[in-house]
Amino acid sequence: MTQSLRAADVLARRLYDAGCRHAFGMPGGEVLTLVDALTRAGIRFHLAKHENCAGFMGEGVHHSDGAPVILVATLGPGALNGVNVVANAHQDRVPMLVLTGCVDADEAQTYTHQVLDQQAVFAPITKASFRLDAAAADVIADKAVAIATEARQGPVHIDVPITVANAPATERNIRRAPAGATAPAGATLAQAHDWLREAARPLAVIGLDALLSGGPEAVAAFVEARQIPFVTTYKAKGILSEDHPLCLGGAGLSPLADRHLLPIVEASDLILCIGYDPIEMRTGWRNAWDAARTRVIDITPESNTHYMHQSSLPLVADIPATLAALAVAPQPATLWSGGEIPNTQTALAEAFPRSDDWGPAGVIAQCIESLPADTLLTADSGAHRILLSQMWPCTEPRQLVQSSGLCTMGCALPLAMGRKLADPDRTVVSFSGDAGFLMVAGELATAAEMGLAPIFIVFVDASLALIDLKQRQRQLPNAGVDFGRHDFAAIGRAFGGEGHTVRNRKELKAALDLAVKAETFTVIAAEIDKEAYDGRI
């Protein structure tokens, strides 16, 4: 039975059906009907202090519940404040519905205050952009959800005119049926089977597309059945627990790790790219193999248009279905018989030790030692993120969340807030540089208002340490990378949380012990030297 509703209600109900239970943003008068519709549909609206942070809070929730992110912004400056997080969702393959208020089409012909072409703004950084129409609200809503959630996932923008949001609309429960799973067959499958049977040194490179529904289980079953060692991108860390004997850890940004991993790539006679999206990788992984010389099977949901690497046998197909089809290939007698895999694992452990008395590695090592093994982590961009991604052993998918495609500073704190909102019983810790933390420190007020209790670790070195390192490597004079050393612990206390400044592992351990039990958020300012990353990443 159909029911007459507002267009905003039709949109909100479709989002609820997609699993959305939270929306984030900062309302203006132009989106009040939309906020009301979301609330009526059972989607709680959370007021953030900035639209960019609102989107990252939503992403934090998404990594726990799998539902699309809802970002709400009013017209003009509100919408533009969200551009960074929307571009981040586009490059990090995060499903997001970007709902922006706008004036009606006829009003825009004569009224210019805060009015701009928001669809033109969002078109290059979204998978699609729509303008809500009352007569087609249900169609637009379903298209938006379907496009955002189909691989590769990403953001979809909907401009919501003021009077359209409140206009009568009909909900017809229009749904696009999901496409069935596809897998290779015939000669293509036979060729893949032959290559697997003949390979003596196969290697899997696993990326974030493998995190989609059914992917982690399929990947685990495949590599374990065939005993294929694997490397992951940073976002795919934990797809199998990193204490697994086949795991060679994460890759993508660390030249130090690449010294040990790229020789294994070079020595491989079959590379299986499983959901490998090279958008996370630095230039050292561009053409890391020669597909004319090494057999490469590339399993992706989209054709290769990035040209970061080539493959011998590209399979645009469903990852779980494809791995199931490949798993039945005959198994070679022995793989990697020269001890290359355990030797590389040993070399990586020695390259990233946990024995430092202090410095960034000492901070991370103490957190590994003091915090529960199932702690949920978020990382900001910077030198600490590279070190953290190499040192922290993830035991489950999405345990460590970061901005890997766009590498956005300021993401870790709001991501941790979203993760804690969705998983209140888990320990949640963010790792930020002092510059990134300062970009978003106002959201500590939001954490207090929402009653959230994550732990915020801040590496305090009064510098853009990674940029400073690059500046020194190029023998350029120091310029534009240093700033003041501030009292971050006091900032935490000023916003209603706990705050501790630590200068050694003993002090950090004591602060972490208190933070895990605290009823409010805790800021832990770890003071380190800005040159402590030299030779470590």
Side-chain angles (χ1 to χ4, degrees):
M1 178 179 177
T2 59
Q3 181 181 3
S4 180
L5 303 163
R6 299 172 298 180
D9 294 316
V10 173
L11 173 60
R13 287 186 174 202
R14 181 65 188 91
L15 296 178
Y16 183 89
D17 289 345
C20 301
R21 297 296 181 269
H22 300 275
F24 300 83
M26 181 172 284
E30 296 77 14
V31 294
L32 291 179
T33 299
L34 183 58
V35 171
D36 178 65
L38 292 168
T39 303
R40 289 189 187 187
I43 299 172
R44 184 176 179 184
F45 179 81
H46 302 276
L47 173 63
K49 303 301 175 285
H50 194 282
E51 290 82 355
N52 199 50
C53 289
F56 280 117
M57 290 179 206
E59 183 185 337
V61 173
H62 159 73
H63 288 302
S64 289
D65 69 9
V69 180
I70 301 177
L71 172 61
V72 179
T74 194
L75 84 173
L80 295 185
N81 274 350
V83 164
N84 178 275
V85 75
V86 176
N88 187 87
H90 194 243
Q91 295 213 2
D92 272 24
R93 319 310 191 193
V94 176
M96 175 184 286
L97 280 302
V98 185
L99 311 180
T100 58
C102 67
V103 299
D104 298 314
D106 59 337
E107 184 80 352
Q109 298 304 314
T110 57
Y111 185 72
T112 58
H113 178 65
Q114 294 186 312
V115 174
L116 68 154
D117 189 343
Q118 292 173 177
Q119 286 192 268
V121 169
F122 285 108
I125 55 172
T126 58
K127 295 181 71 178
S129 179
F130 298 96
R131 185 181 180 92
L132 193 66
D133 177 85
D138 51 352
V139 175
I140 291 170
D142 192 65
K143 281 187 177 183
V145 170
I147 294 170
T149 55
E150 67 185 9
R152 285 180 169 127
Q153 297 182 332
V156 172
H157 168 240
I158 304 178
D159 242 355
V160 183
I162 299 169
T163 60
V164 171
N166 203 46
T170 301
E171 186 178 49
R172 294 170 291 180
N173 291 315
I174 293 174
R175 297 288 187 272
R176 191 183 75 178
T182 58
T188 300
L189 181 59
Q191 184 179 53
H193 282 172
D194 287 344
W195 288 3
L196 282 163
R197 175 178 52 82
E198 295 167 1
R201 297 179 307 281
L203 176 72
V205 181
I206 304 170
L208 63 86
D209 286 325
L211 296 176
L212 298 179
S213 179
E217 297 81 5
V219 168
F222 177 77
V223 300
E224 287 183 336
R226 303 198 64 84
Q227 288 296 291
I228 297 176
F230 63 92
V231 177
T232 72
T233 65
Y234 284 170
K235 275 193 173 291
K237 273 172 66 70
I239 196 161
L240 275 79
S241 179
E242 290 191 291
D243 61 3
H244 198 286
L246 295 171
C247 182
L248 291 167
L253 294 181
S254 170
L256 179 56
D258 287 352
R259 290 177 202 168
H260 305 285
L261 293 173
L262 288 176
I264 290 291
V265 173
E266 176 67 22
S268 300
D269 59 1
L270 174 63
I271 297 171
L272 295 113
C273 298
I274 303 175
Y276 171 49
D277 185 346
I279 198 166
E280 296 186 63
M281 313 301 271
R282 72 182 187 91
T283 54
W285 282 79
R286 182 190 295 146
N287 296 320
W289 51 77
D290 181 357
R293 183 175 60 85
T294 303
R295 292 170 170 176
V296 181
I297 301 175
D298 201 3
I299 310 167
T300 59
E302 291 184 354
S303 296
N304 167 9
T305 57
H306 50 68
Y307 284 74
M308 270 283 286
H309 68 255
Q310 294 298 324
S311 62
S312 323
L313 186 61
L315 304 176
V316 180
D318 177 77
I319 290 172
T322 300
L323 293 179
L326 295 182
V328 300
Q331 181 78 354
T334 58
L335 298 177
W336 293 97
S337 57
E340 299 94 337
I341 301 308
N343 291 343
T344 301
Q345 291 168 331
T346 299
L348 285 166
E350 292 173 351
F352 299 96
R354 302 180 192 175
S355 56
D356 290 38
D357 290 334
W358 194 234
V363 172
I364 295 166
Q366 188 60 56
C367 289
I368 294 171
E369 182 178 313
S370 295
L371 295 171
D374 68 346
T375 294
L376 298 175
L377 317 160
T378 68
D380 223 12
S381 287
H384 68 278
R385 174 171 80 99
I386 302 173
L387 193 57
L388 178 74
S389 297
Q390 296 299 149
M391 289 183 64
W392 198 288
C394 290
T395 58
E396 63 183 272
R398 304 181 191 268
Q399 183 177 359
L400 171 57
V401 175
Q402 53 190 289
S403 169
S404 289
L406 197 61
C407 295
T408 296
M409 289 179 67
C411 69
L413 185 148
L415 278 171
M417 291 170 59
R419 299 230 74 181
K420 190 65 174 178
L421 177 64
D423 285 294
D425 296 329
R426 299 273 296 266
T427 300
V428 178
V429 182
S430 75
F431 292 85
S432 302
D434 41 8
F437 187 87
L438 287 171
M439 289 181 177
V440 297
E443 296 299 345
L444 293 175
T446 308
E449 292 159 6
M450 295 174 66
L452 300 176
I455 302 169
F456 302 122
I457 305 288
V458 187
F459 293 87
V460 181
D461 53 21
S463 175
L464 300 173
L466 182 59
I467 310 307
D468 172 78
L469 174 60
K470 293 178 179 180
Q471 194 174 63
R472 288 185 286 110
Q473 287 174 336
R474 294 177 60 184
Q475 299 182 330
L476 295 171
N478 178 275
V481 295
D482 296 331
F483 48 90
R485 208 173 260 269
H486 305 290
D487 190 343
F488 291 91
I491 294 173
R493 293 191 294 270
F495 278 104
E498 301 292 339
H500 308 279
T501 299
V502 298
R503 299 178 179 87
N504 55 60
R505 288 182 66 155
K506 181 179 179 181
E507 292 176 354
L508 175 56
K509 181 182 184 305
L512 289 169
D513 290 344
L514 291 171
V516 167
K517 297 179 287 187
E519 295 184 358
T520 185
F521 69 84
T522 301
V523 175
I524 300 178
E527 296 192 348
I528 61 173
D529 182 75
K530 72 175 184 178
E531 297 185 6
Y533 293 100
D534 290 14
R536 298 310 303 273
I537 56 176

